[in-house]
């Protein structure tokens, strides 16, 4: 979890700078981000809850992790489209 904390800090700092320049920061997942970790949450959920970055859902890897990849992609499309 400490590595997630460190990554979130870096992402939030970078996202502020990029956003000020009109650039959206997005994260491309693999299956490991959808696996429930020892602390009871997924990496994907941690990033979604603790950052403002966008998500580029890779439906193959989401499906590989047992996630409804179509629903996940649709959810994040609605979150990111104007």
């Amino acid at each position: 979890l400490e590595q997630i904390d460190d990554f979130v800090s870096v992402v939030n700092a970078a996202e502020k700078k990029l956003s000020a320049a009109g650039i959206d920061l997005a994260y491309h997942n693999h299956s490991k981000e959808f696996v429930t970790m020892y602390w009871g949450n997924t990496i994907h959920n941690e990033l979604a809850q603790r950052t403002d970055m966008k998500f580029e859902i890779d439906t193959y890897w989401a499906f590989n992790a047992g996630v409804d990849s179509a629903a996940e992609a649709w959810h994040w499309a609605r979150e990111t489209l104007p």
Side-chain angles (χ1 to χ4, degrees), residues 9-25 52:
S9 293
V10 169
V11 164
N12 286 334
E15 198 278 328
K16 283 183 183 181
K17 291 177 183 177
L18 292 169
S19 182
I23 300 170
D24 289 330
L25 179 63
D52 290 327

Side-chain angles (χ1 to χ4, degrees), residues 4 7-8 27 43-51 53 55:
I4 299 296
F7 183 69
V8 165
Y27 187 87
I43 294 170
H44 176 78
N45 286 342
E46 289 286 337
L47 297 177
Q49 293 164 358
R50 298 170 57 188
T51 72
M53 71 178 155
F55 290 92

Side-chain angles (χ1 to χ4, degrees), residues 37-77:
M37 304 302 284
Y38 68 89
W39 63 84
N41 204 356
T42 66
I43 294 170
H44 176 78
N45 286 342
E46 289 286 337
L47 297 177
Q49 293 164 358
R50 298 170 57 188
T51 72
D52 290 327
M53 71 178 155
K54 310 288 188 229
F55 290 92
E56 178 187 280
I57 301 300
D58 187 315
T59 55
Y60 170 78
W61 288 116
F63 177 80
N64 182 266
V67 171
D68 181 344
S69 56
E72 194 70 27
W74 180 244
H75 169 78
W76 289 105

